[in-house]
Amino acid sequence: MQRLRSATVEGCGTHMQWLCEANLVDEALRTAALLERSHALGVELWRVDDWGALVEDGITNERLWLQGLRPQINSRFERLLLATHGPILALTRGERATPELLRAFAPPGRRYLSVGGADAAAIVQAAVRLAQDDGGEWIRLAVT
């Protein structure tokens, strides 16, 4: 997982973290720029080359924690996103099942939503809803 873009909106009230598979990077970059201009959403974009490896790392670290060998889970995914803020939006052209497994390893208190089959309209809809909703409605939002 590698950060490709930092939020460029100064004084923006809402920042988001987008996790994006490699084949969606160009579309996500264009959409992030559009949302910053139109909705003042600060978007940081992360490229994910292997969702499964991130999930496996989380499970391995969780197992060590459960065995009492670690004071906390501390997965790579959690460490990378702990220093950031805002909701997390996972974007994939494929099934949401694997990106959805990362929800368990998101930093505490962070909203997380995965979007599968993502086109620009679905990304915009999910990002705006996730950024605006401060309650539990985002949990029911499913974009396929």
Side-chain angles (χ1 to χ4, degrees), residues 100-124:
E100 192 61 31
L101 291 172
L102 285 176
R103 178 188 303 271
F105 306 108
R110 301 281 288 279
R111 291 178 287 164
Y112 182 100
L113 177 69
S114 60
V115 178
D119 58 27
I123 295 170
V124 169

Side-chain angles (χ1 to χ4, degrees), residues 18 24 27-28 31 35 89 91 115 118-128:
W18 287 11
L24 272 173
E27 187 172 356
T31 305
L35 283 174
L89 181 61
L91 307 170
V115 178
D119 58 27
I123 295 170
V124 169
Q125 176 192 15
V128 170

Side-chain angles (χ1 to χ4, degrees), residues 111 133-141:
R111 291 178 287 164
D133 188 13
D134 59 2
E137 182 65 25
W138 63 273
I139 246 173
R140 291 189 287 275
L141 177 63

Side-chain angles (χ1 to χ4, degrees), residues 12 16 35 39-40 62 66 71 82 103 127 135:
C12 172
M16 302 183 77
L35 283 174
H39 289 80
E62 181 182 52
L66 287 169
L82 200 55
R103 178 188 303 271

Side-chain angles (χ1 to χ4, degrees), residues 44-82:
E44 294 189 32
L45 183 69
W46 299 78
R47 186 184 75 220
V48 176
D49 292 318
D50 189 345
W51 298 101
L54 285 173
V55 171
E56 189 59 39
D57 174 72
I59 291 169
T60 298
N61 283 289
E62 181 182 52
R63 186 177 304 119
L64 293 170
W65 173 73
L66 287 169
Q67 294 170 353
L69 301 173
R70 293 189 158 208
Q72 57 194 28
I73 295 173
N74 201 23
S75 69
R76 179 170 187 263
F77 177 68
E78 182 179 5
R79 285 191 313 273
L80 287 171
L81 291 178
L82 200 55

